[in-house]
Amino acid sequence: MPELPDVETFRRYVNSTSLHKTINNVKVKSAKVLDGTSAKNLSKTLQGEKFTNTRRHGKHLFLQISNGQWLMMHFGMTGSLHYFKDMDDDPKHDRLLISFENGYHLAYDCQRLLGKISLTEDIDSFITDKNLGDDALAISWDSFKGSLKKKRGSIKSALMDQKTLAGVGNIYVDEILFQVGIHPKTAVNSINEAYLEEVFESMRDVLSKAIDVQADPSEFPPSFMTPHRRSDQQCPNGDEKLKTVKISGRTTYFCPKHQKKLKK
DNA sequence: AGTACCACCTGACGGC
DNA sequence: TGCCGTCAGGTGGTAC
């Protein structure tokens, strides 16, 4: 689930469920997701505090703690958040369980353990340390253009590179390129400025439309390709079959009829 | 600075 | 039923 729209959805979920409530218990179920901190230290840091605010940068979510620090969550391929009261509703792969004094719990669930949780004093230095590019929904057209001009290789790899811009992953990059009708293997440096601006607009459009429906593909507009992302499925714009190709090791779906390497 | 692979992990699915 | 290869919305490291 966890690309920019999913993480933004988690952020709003935390806002509507978990702010301003005293934390009275913290259980680390798997220390493997912890990065640069220990279960003991994390518990000590959160115990008795509240979450006061949230921020998101790309695929990283930050929960502000009332002591001024930030709890960083990254969701890997399979991470998600669940707020519930009855422990019967505790998700199967919960790795961190935060309990509030109102009897509710916030669980960080992550089946494949590829996610990360850490503590940080300062979001800006976290972003600098990780070398992350600007957030894909916050970046200006000028910065986007500037960052992509330095890139070589395919447009797909460039958009997915978190150092270039943060938040776009394998699913949404395919959707963005499908919407502009550009072949994912197109060399970035062969795209002229006007067309690159269309890519930029498509990125903003796809990401915000996904956020509008809580990143639920079953609610995507009918013109979106993502819900057809299965082998042998047809393009939403016709009876053409979608095809797959590997780009930087990731399975890529595209429509051979509607996505061309060069714009006519 | 690219790509190509491997690794980290668990689990679902299809073929035999 | 069971075993096995393959694949999965991410990232980081390596070698070339």
Side-chain angles (χ1 to χ4, degrees):
Chain A
M1 314 181 99
E3 295 183 39
L4 187 153
D6 312 273
V7 179
E8 177 61 20
T9 302
F10 295 152
R11 191 185 71 79
R12 295 178 183 189
Y13 183 69
V14 170
N15 280 357
S16 65
T17 60
S18 306
L19 295 190
H20 314 302
K21 290 164 184 165
T22 302
I23 297 165
N24 62 10
N25 200 11
V26 176
K27 264 194 207 119
V28 175
K29 305 277 192 87
S30 174
K32 281 190 177 167
V33 299
L34 300 185
D35 191 17
T37 187
S38 64
K40 199 174 164 186
N41 184 53
L42 185 64
S43 300
K44 197 182 67 181
T45 305
L46 292 175
Q47 193 77 245
E49 305 288 341
K50 301 170 181 180
F51 293 123
T52 53
N53 199 1
T54 56
R55 274 185 57 190
R56 181 191 56 72
H57 184 93
K59 304 174 189 175
H60 295 263
L61 177 63
F62 301 88
L63 282 65
Q64 189 170 40
I65 309 165
S66 42
N67 65 13
Q69 294 190 67
W70 294 87
L71 177 67
M72 190 292 296
M73 292 180 169
H74 186 273
F75 298 91
M77 301 250 284
T78 54
S80 57
L81 290 175
H82 302 272
Y83 182 79
F84 57 93
K85 184 167 196 177
D86 189 339
M87 281 307 286
D88 288 347
D89 297 326
D90 188 27
K92 190 172 173 192
H93 307 285
D94 63 330
R95 311 304 187 184
L96 173 66
L97 187 65
I98 296 168
S99 305
F100 301 101
E101 65 178 356
N102 67 353
Y104 280 77
H105 316 271
L106 180 68
Y108 169 91
D109 187 82
C110 190
Q111 183 208 120
R112 287 176 65 188
L113 292 167
L114 298 174
K116 283 291 170 220
I117 290 177
S118 65
L119 289 168
T120 184
E121 303 280 336
D122 177 53
I123 296 183
D124 290 338
S125 24
F126 178 91
I127 291 167
T128 309
D129 290 349
K130 295 274 177 190
N131 245 311
L132 295 173
D134 288 347
D135 179 76
L137 269 185
I139 193 171
S140 68
W141 157 240
D142 281 340
S143 306
F144 178 86
K145 182 173 59 177
S147 304
L148 286 192
K149 269 192 178 155
K150 297 177 203 153
K151 303 287 290 179
R152 284 145 214 259
S154 70
I155 179 69
K156 168 153 177 168
S157 315
L159 292 177
M160 278 213 306
D161 183 351
Q162 302 300 299
K163 296 178 180 62
T164 303
L165 74 163
V168 176
N170 195 40
I171 294 291
Y172 285 100
V173 72
D174 284 2
E175 186 66 57
I176 290 162
L177 298 178
F178 174 79
Q179 293 299 324
V180 259
I182 187 166
H183 191 288
K185 274 194 172 170
T186 308
V188 206
N189 57 18
S190 74
I191 302 174
N192 69 33
E193 194 169 315
Y195 200 16
L196 194 60
E197 194 162 5
E198 289 185 40
V199 175
F200 175 73
E201 294 302 337
S202 172
M203 176 178 81
R204 297 185 56 80
D205 186 62
V206 166
L207 295 177
S208 43
K209 280 183 176 153
I211 291 170
D212 287 345
V213 295
Q214 289 80 244
D216 175 0
S218 70
E219 301 288 328
F220 283 0
S223 62
F224 273 36
M225 178 262 272
T226 303
H228 306 262
R229 203 186 162 83
R230 269 165 287 149
S231 53
D232 226 32
Q233 286 290 300
Q234 71 181 47
C235 170
N237 293 336
D239 42 21
E240 202 78 12
K241 288 269 199 263
L242 297 176
K243 289 205 162 159
T244 62
V245 63
K246 288 268 183 198
I247 297 179
S248 40
R250 312 299 300 277
T251 301
T252 302
Y253 281 79
F254 70 102
C255 172
K257 183 177 169 193
H258 297 104
Q259 292 175 261
K260 301 293 182 190
K261 285 202 183 174
L262 291 171
K263 179 133 181 168
K264 306 257 160 71

